[in-house]
Amino acid sequence: MCLHPDGQHVLTASADQTLRFWQLSAGDDAQVLRGHRAAITSCVITADGSRAVSAAWDGTILVWDLNGRSLHRALSEHRGAVSSLALLESGQQVVSASWDHTLRLWNLRTGALIQTFSGHAAPVNACVVTRDGKLLVSASDDLTVRIWDLQSGRELRVLAGHNAGVKSCVLAPDGHSVISISEDCTLW
């Protein structure tokens, strides 16, 4: 689920393969967006509110025009389920994390694949980008959290310590610390 920048709308992602764009004042009157062929795992909205991006178990990433409530383009380079999305502050690029063990950086305006990040040895479950857009952090079932240079695609650091798959990661408000959670019930 993600809140629209106008504060009046919410976008929800569902296992029924739909996105629903809710007007908060109407409550139960949502517009349905269809396009995925499997459960939707993640959604984000650009800062200007004009576009949404969704990802699903079918391996696709769909870019939506929220003004027209229509599908704008499909991105489909992943060879496995897409588990997570991270939107860059500019709203022009998004990172996708996949069970194909990769992360990919996309240009939302053109649909072009900019960079592929390879190094994980198992499905990638989550990703987050630093506010300045310089670093990418990923969490994987290979028991690691990795830090990447977003521009070059180079892996900068591997953080190990969990004894089971790492399911999520977030950045601390200072932007200098990473918090991760694992199936081993530990928080780092």
Side-chain angles (χ1 to χ4, degrees):
M1 174 170 56
C2 45
L3 183 64
H4 192 277
D6 69 8
Q8 303 301 311
H9 296 86
V10 171
L11 185 67
T12 59
S14 178
D16 72 1
Q17 306 171 17
T18 66
L19 291 167
R20 294 179 190 269
F21 194 62
W22 303 84
Q23 184 174 349
L24 294 176
S25 62
D28 63 350
D29 187 26
Q31 291 182 306
V32 179
L33 303 174
R34 299 179 196 281
H36 287 289
R37 296 178 315 262
I40 301 173
T41 57
S42 185
C43 64
V44 293
I45 297 176
T46 58
D48 68 3
S50 66
R51 302 252 191 253
V53 185
S54 58
W57 292 126
D58 63 10
T60 62
I61 301 157
L62 300 181
V63 181
W64 302 89
D65 173 358
L66 288 181
N67 297 324
R69 310 289 193 270
S70 61
L71 182 60
H72 179 65
R73 78 169 21 99
L75 310 172
S76 58
E77 294 285 328
H78 282 294
R79 289 176 164 58
V82 181
S83 53
S84 181
L85 297 170
L87 190 66
L88 276 71
E89 284 286 318
S90 69
Q92 300 300 314
Q93 297 174 331
V94 69
V95 175
S96 55
S98 174
W99 281 21
D100 67 6
H101 307 186
T102 69
L103 299 111
R104 297 180 193 265
L105 175 63
W106 305 89
N107 181 312
L108 291 178
R109 205 166 13 108
T110 65
L113 175 62
I114 299 169
Q115 184 76 255
T116 298
F117 303 84
S118 300
H120 281 292
V124 184
N125 298 310
C127 60
V128 64
V129 175
T130 57
R131 189 166 277 188
D132 64 9
K134 293 182 179 178
L135 301 176
L136 167 64
V137 180
S138 58
S140 170
D141 279 344
D142 68 4
L143 316 186
T144 68
V145 171
R146 295 174 191 249
I147 301 173
W148 310 83
D149 179 285
L150 202 53
Q151 187 170 24
S152 71
R154 200 181 75 171
E155 182 182 274
L156 300 176
R157 190 148 186 213
V158 177
L159 306 174
H162 288 292
N163 295 314
V166 186
K167 296 302 178 186
S168 188
C169 59
V170 296
L171 292 170
D174 67 6
H176 293 78
S177 301
V178 177
I179 302 165
S180 60
I181 185 78
S182 168
E183 285 181 329
D184 66 8
C185 299
T186 60
L187 186 71
W188 287 94

